[in-house]
């Protein structure tokens, strides 16, 4: 991996210093009062449906966000802020927190709450017009959300609770092991999905009014022990490390339906790397880990793989520099279907791009902004997930802003390198997916071509062989 200075062009934090400029076109004099009323953007007709789909899941009483955005009276004071935050699009601080850049790479993801350009414009026009309420008859019926204590994956088949941790109001960051907990599982089961919840047991004082301020566990890696490990395994800890990591703001993890992950009877959960940070209040908390199982008798036909790659200790972020860049590379050892793109950086990180290089073909799979306050997991839709032949080189590029213009950085006067603390650096893609044989891969490519209705030579981003008239993978080499 190499680290260099580089201009971030329009992706730097300078773009965050001003509100998005939206041109509001005045109505021509000949427009009638009825036509003007129809053209007016109102809360009841135009804004409420956007909030219901993309905002209220978190912006409701007793949920994740610091304010409720259900009723007009609640929303009206935040109109100008809504215009600014939604106008950030893919930059840190955008709302809803979805950072995929919409002008490059794959655009189809599961559970995508992001706004269209038209919706962003409507919010801006509404705010500029004084946030009119509109006709109460236009208001859509309220949405029934799951309770904040319920699970996105449905009621788990198994819930395991971590040991409790305590953090003082202004304690320095801490990371390390907090031990292991028996699962209580009495039979082998394959896991279909898992989800984390941080539970606050005690809070004395006033937490900071940020997303991270609601919690003290920034991230926690999860291991699942094998009670009868293979004595011939050269790396007996490998299986423990290959489970999704908890992070602030993380959505649930759903495995490929054909690649359930085995949890054995008598296994234990190991919380071997917990990262804690103070939130302004004396806090005691723990994690709940919920597991959804496949039915008994299920057998996977694919192997779930965590394909993480990125920096080690050699990352080098200089002080007072807003435009820095790092690169890392990974060569796929097998044919791969990548199901999840998950950038992970630390406070100075503001953007990550992922490219796939196959022969003469170079495709940008995705670019995404990054905000250390709210980590996102991007689950590709099934027929949009990158389908890459073995030997493909993955190039990851990270952009960093270690300057006063980045509010996530507490003191940009300091150089920083790799490490676990928020003021240290990480530059990792916690990518996941499945590996496939040549025969499985060829069948998957044919299925993708049919699903996308591709003509010979037509390019599909993320599937370089979908446009091939022959199939070079079985021959063991690139085109």
């Amino acid at each position: 991996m190499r680290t260099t200075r580089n201009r971030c062009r329009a992706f730097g934090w300078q773009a965050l210093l001003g509100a998005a400029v939206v041109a509001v076109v005045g109505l021509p004099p000949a427009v009638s009062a009825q036509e003007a009323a129809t053209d007016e953007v109102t809360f009841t007709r135009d804004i409420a449906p956007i909030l219901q789909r993309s905002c209220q899941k978190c912006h409701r009483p007793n949920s994740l966000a610091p304010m409720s955005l259900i009723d007009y009276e609640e929303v009206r004071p935040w109109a100008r802020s809504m215009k600014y935050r939604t106008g950030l699009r893919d930059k840190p601080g955008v709302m809803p927190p979805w950072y995929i850049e919409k002008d490059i790479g794959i655009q189809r993801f599961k559970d995508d709450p992001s706004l269209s350009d038209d919706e962003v414009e409507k919010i801006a026009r509404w705010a500029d017009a004084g946030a009119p309420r509109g006709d109460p008859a236009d208001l859509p019926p309220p949405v029934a959300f799951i309770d904040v204590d319920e699970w996105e994956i449905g009621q788990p088949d198994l819930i395991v609770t971590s040991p409790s941790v305590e953090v003082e109001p202004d304690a320095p960051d801490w990371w390390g092991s907090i031990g292991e907990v028996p699962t209580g599982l009495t039979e082998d089961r394959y896991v279909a999905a898992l989800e984390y919840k941080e539970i606050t047991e005690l809070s004395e004082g006033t937490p900071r009014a940020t997303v991270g301020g609601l919690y003290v566990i920034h991230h926690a890696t999860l291991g699942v022990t094998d009670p009868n490990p293979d004595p011939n395994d050269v790396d007996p800890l490998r299986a423990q490390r290959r489970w999704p990591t908890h992070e602030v703001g993380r959505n649930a993890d759903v495995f490929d339906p054909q690649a359930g992950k085995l949890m054995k009877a008598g296994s234990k959960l190991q919380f071997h790397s917990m990262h804690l940070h103070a939130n302004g209040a004396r806090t005691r908390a723990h994690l709940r880990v919920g597991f959804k199982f496949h039915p008994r008798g299920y057998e996977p036909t694919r192997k779930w793989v965590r394909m993480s790659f990125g920096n080690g200790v050699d990352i080098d972020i200089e002080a007072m520099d807003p435009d820095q860049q790092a690169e890392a590379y990974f060569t796929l050892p097998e044919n791969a279907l990548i199901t999840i793109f998950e950038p992970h950086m630390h406070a100075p990180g503001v953007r990550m791009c992922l490219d796939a290089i196959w022969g003469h073909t170079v495709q940008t799979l995705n670019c995404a902004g990054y905000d250390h306050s709210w980590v996102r997991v991007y689950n590709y839709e099934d027929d949009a997930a990158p389908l890459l032949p073995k030997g493909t080189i993955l190039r990851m590029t990270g952009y960093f802003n270690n300057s006063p213009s980045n509010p996530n950085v507490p003191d940009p006067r300091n150089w920083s390198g790799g490490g676990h603390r928020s003021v240290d650096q990480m530059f990792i893609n916690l990518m996941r997916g499945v590996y496939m044989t040549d025969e499985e891969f060829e069948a998957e490519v044919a299925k993708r071509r049919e699903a996308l209705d591709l003509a010979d030579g037509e390019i599909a981003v993320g599937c370089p062989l979908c446009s091939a008239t022959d199939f070079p993978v079985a021959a063991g080499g690139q085109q």
Side-chain angles (χ1 to χ4, degrees):
M1 189 202 75
R2 61 188 178 86
T3 306
T4 61
R5 293 187 182 186
N6 189 56
R7 298 299 302 172
C8 287
R9 306 181 298 282
F11 306 105
W13 267 81
Q14 292 86 341
L16 300 187
L17 299 180
V21 177
V22 178
V24 181
V25 180
L27 293 171
V31 172
S32 69
Q34 181 178 0
E35 290 172 320
T38 302
D39 190 59
E40 181 184 45
V41 178
T42 68
F43 173 80
T44 55
R45 185 183 63 229
D46 304 289
I47 304 304
I50 298 173
L51 296 176
Q52 288 184 347
R53 193 199 75 230
S54 297
C55 307
Q56 291 178 1
K57 177 181 177 181
C58 296
H59 286 274
R60 55 193 172 102
N62 301 315
S63 190
L64 185 65
M67 81 287 289
S68 177
L69 297 178
I70 302 294
D71 300 326
Y72 175 77
E73 289 76 13
E74 296 173 329
V75 176
R76 173 65 184 83
W78 301 99
R80 302 300 297 180
S81 179
M82 288 168 55
K83 172 188 172 180
Y84 173 66
R85 295 292 288 271
T86 57
L88 294 175
R89 299 305 279 150
D90 47 56
K91 307 300 185 295
V94 67
M95 285 288 147
W98 185 267
Y99 311 104
I100 292 291
E101 295 176 14
K102 291 184 174 292
D103 59 351
I104 190 170
I106 299 168
Q107 294 299 312
R108 296 173 54 214
F109 294 90
K110 299 175 181 177
D111 302 319
D112 178 357
S114 63
L115 307 187
S116 67
D117 290 342
D118 180 64
E119 290 170 326
V120 172
E121 182 188 11
K122 280 184 178 180
I123 291 173
R125 289 172 56 201
W126 177 69
D128 290 341
R133 181 193 293 265
D135 186 346
D138 292 334
L139 191 67
V143 175
F145 294 101
I146 64 172
D147 188 83
V148 293
D149 293 326
E150 295 183 87
W151 301 77
E152 291 181 22
I153 61 174
Q155 182 58 35
D157 299 302
L158 174 68
I159 299 174
V160 182
T161 299
S162 77
S164 297
V165 296
E166 291 195 16
V167 182
E168 294 300 319
D170 295 307
D173 282 19
W174 179 91
W175 69 95
S177 172
I178 62 169
E180 60 184 26
V181 178
T183 62
L185 200 61
T186 58
E187 58 180 326
D188 293 356
R189 296 297 299 269
Y190 281 97
V191 177
L194 70 85
E195 183 179 350
Y196 294 91
K197 285 184 179 293
E198 179 175 338
I199 306 299
T200 300
E201 304 171 23
L202 170 71
S203 180
E204 296 180 344
T206 304
R208 300 186 182 98
T210 65
V211 172
L214 300 174
Y215 304 106
V216 293
I217 301 173
H218 175 266
H219 75 255
T221 60
L222 177 68
V224 179
T225 65
D226 184 344
N228 298 296
D230 182 352
N232 298 317
D233 192 339
V234 296
D235 185 5
L237 297 179
R238 180 174 56 240
Q240 299 176 21
R241 291 195 297 263
R242 299 311 190 209
W243 289 78
T245 299
H246 164 70
E247 298 161 288
V248 170
R250 184 189 185 92
N251 33 330
D253 284 89
V254 180
F255 300 125
D256 184 294
Q258 301 179 60
K261 191 158 176 60
L262 181 62
M263 179 183 288
K264 293 189 175 181
S267 59
K268 299 178 181 178
L269 298 193
Q270 291 189 329
F271 299 91
H272 44 70
S273 181
M274 182 83 77
H275 176 182
L276 307 179
H277 64 160
N279 68 356
R282 181 173 175 267
T283 304
R284 182 168 65 243
H286 64 266
L287 286 178
R288 287 180 184 165
V289 190
F291 297 91
K292 197 75 173 177
F293 294 142
H294 283 287
R296 290 178 174 85
Y298 164 91
E299 290 292 337
T301 57
R302 292 176 174 173
K303 180 181 179 182
W304 182 89
V305 181
R306 182 171 171 177
M307 310 172 191
S308 302
F309 73 104
N311 76 288
V313 297
D314 59 338
I315 195 166
D316 179 7
I317 303 300
E318 298 186 18
M320 302 301 291
D321 188 340
D323 301 321
Q324 302 182 62
Q325 178 178 325
E327 292 182 353
Y329 296 84
F330 175 66
T331 301
L332 289 173
E334 302 291 344
N335 307 310
L337 177 71
I338 299 174
T339 58
I340 288 177
F341 172 50
E342 184 182 345
H344 184 83
M345 306 168 80
H346 274 190
V350 293
R351 184 179 186 238
M352 182 185 290
C353 291
L354 180 65
D355 301 320
I357 305 169
W358 165 255
H360 300 295
T361 302
V362 181
Q363 295 182 338
T364 298
L365 302 180
N366 283 107
C367 288
Y370 183 81
D371 189 336
H372 195 46
S373 295
W374 199 317
V375 175
R376 293 283 82 186
V377 178
Y378 302 106
N379 293 274
Y380 292 104
E381 289 191 6
D382 294 340
D383 59 357
L387 188 57
L388 304 172
K390 58 187 173 186
T392 297
I393 299 170
L394 296 176
R395 176 176 61 200
M396 184 171 63
T397 307
Y399 299 84
F400 301 83
N401 176 2
N402 191 29
S403 80
S405 63
N406 185 346
N408 283 338
V409 178
D411 190 348
R413 297 173 299 174
N414 294 320
W415 169 92
S416 57
H420 289 270
R421 302 174 302 170
S422 293
V423 294
D424 296 325
Q425 302 309 314
M426 283 192 177
F427 170 45
I428 304 171
N429 177 11
L430 299 173
M431 182 175 67
R432 295 185 292 285
V434 296
Y435 286 152
M436 290 179 284
T437 66
D438 290 344
E439 293 74 17
E440 291 171 336
F441 184 73
E442 185 171 356
E444 195 68 26
V445 169
K447 179 181 174 183
R448 178 72 57 86
R449 281 176 60 97
E450 181 178 359
L452 299 180
D453 193 23
L454 296 177
D456 288 345
E458 187 175 355
I459 295 175
V461 176
C463 185
L465 292 187
C466 280
S467 59
T469 55
D470 57 0
F471 210 83
V473 174
Q478 294 196 16
Q479 302 180 90

